[in-house]
Amino acid sequence: MEDEAIRDLSRAREDAMQDLKAATLRLKAFLLRHDIRSTGRANWRPAHLRWLSEVVCPTPAQPMVFQAYVRAVSAHTERLQRFEQALHEQVNVWRLSPVVEALQARRGMQCIVAGTTVAALGDLSRVDNPRQRMQCLGLIPSAYSRAEKCRQGSITTAGHTHARRALVEGAWASRDAANVSRHLPRRLEKQPKSIQDMSWKAHVRLCTRYRRLIARGKHANQVVVALARALGGLMGALATEVPVTPSGRLTDGY
């Protein structure tokens, strides 16, 4: 029951993210239709929210629509924050919280990403071959064969959808140069030196690979998916460094 609760929270969070994205796009479309543009750069920050409160619509009938869109964005934002707060609280008391904390040693693997991945995949160390884990995530290229010809296509997108999306979200952190952010030391201080060294080595490797593939002309989205595939393979190595009792092994959830 505890494992399923974590999975339900991660699914609800993703649903809230999709609803917030849709509500945000509807509000932006309304503003663009009437050529109402903000002079600021950051959206949904305090300055942008103050600007929204001062928007004047062209006709008296349109403020009702505009305010409905704004309230929808605010409601979905609060809903998303509630789910994320609940997910943080539940993961901290989860029996597999040591595994989640070990995965957070990687930059881009915050509590939400790590918790969603562990809840979806289960025991990360049960698969010896990293390719099998990538196959469970749907991150391996699809293959098409005809006669003697064989070519690879896009990823299969089969398997654990929530975990795949969470890994892709975390892989975007590898775009930046390999350095230590201000939040990472607090996540690393509780981990043994073996996990810290493994995490730093993986980060340098992924950042280097991102720059190399971009220099070859690959699209950024394709490169990030490739990094997410590599990140899925590295997760098993990090999980093996964390001692987990037999009662703490997570059962398959899908």
Side-chain angles (χ1 to χ4, degrees):
M1 295 298 293
E2 184 184 15
D3 303 337
E4 190 61 32
I6 301 295
R7 299 184 191 109
D8 288 337
L9 280 175
S10 63
R11 294 168 186 149
R13 173 190 172 270
E14 186 169 344
D15 292 339
M17 288 183 60
Q18 297 298 325
D19 294 340
L20 175 59
K21 181 179 179 180
T24 302
L25 290 177
R26 284 193 291 267
L27 176 58
K28 287 183 176 181
F30 175 85
L31 295 174
L32 288 177
R33 283 198 303 269
H34 302 288
D35 197 24
I36 302 175
R37 304 176 184 273
S38 173
T39 57
R41 295 182 179 180
N43 290 335
W44 319 118
R45 296 297 178 87
H48 183 72
L49 295 177
R50 287 194 299 270
W51 173 80
L52 286 175
S53 64
E54 299 173 355
V55 169
V56 178
C57 297
T59 64
Q62 290 169 337
M64 180 177 64
V65 179
F66 172 71
Q67 292 300 328
Y69 286 151
V70 173
R71 286 195 299 269
V73 172
S74 301
H76 289 308
T77 301
E78 295 175 358
R79 175 185 163 207
L80 176 62
Q81 292 174 349
R82 289 196 300 270
F83 282 134
E84 290 184 345
Q85 180 64 28
L87 188 57
H88 275 282
E89 295 174 354
Q90 294 298 320
V91 166
N92 289 334
V93 297
W94 195 18
R95 66 174 182 271
L96 284 180
S97 61
V99 179
V100 177
E101 291 178 358
L103 295 180
Q104 293 182 63
R106 268 281 298 128
R107 197 175 75 173
M109 293 288 293
Q110 293 85 357
C111 181
I112 298 296
V113 176
T116 300
T117 306
V118 175
L121 292 180
D123 183 13
L124 298 176
S125 61
R126 76 182 190 275
V127 178
D128 296 330
N129 190 349
R131 184 173 178 82
Q132 296 179 1
R133 190 178 303 107
M134 300 172 192
Q135 186 175 3
C136 294
L137 291 167
L139 288 171
I140 61 174
S142 56
Y144 302 90
S145 60
R146 184 176 181 180
E148 298 180 354
K149 296 181 179 180
C150 181
R151 66 182 182 88
Q152 291 184 339
S154 57
I155 59 175
T156 61
T157 66
H160 303 291
T161 305
H162 298 283
R164 181 175 63 254
R165 291 179 179 173
L167 277 181
V168 172
E169 179 182 346
W172 280 104
S174 298
R175 293 179 300 172
D176 302 328
N179 52 33
V180 179
S181 62
R182 60 189 180 93
H183 300 289
L184 190 58
R186 288 182 293 180
R187 304 203 301 261
L188 287 173
E189 61 184 6
K190 298 180 181 180
Q191 301 302 322
K193 189 175 186 302
S194 60
I195 292 181
Q196 296 183 22
D197 295 341
M198 190 181 301
S199 172
W200 176 252
K201 182 179 178 180
H203 183 55
V204 173
R205 175 184 173 186
L206 293 180
C207 291
T208 304
R209 186 177 181 185
Y210 178 85
R211 293 194 298 269
R212 184 172 64 251
L213 292 177
I214 289 294
R216 290 170 53 184
K218 298 293 184 179
H219 193 277
N221 292 340
Q222 293 178 322
V223 176
V224 169
V225 170
L227 297 184
R229 182 165 55 247
L231 187 58
L234 293 170
M235 287 173 56
L238 285 174
T240 56
E241 298 292 327
V242 182
V244 181
T245 61
S247 61
R249 297 176 70 90
L250 184 62
T251 58
D252 293 338
Y254 286 80

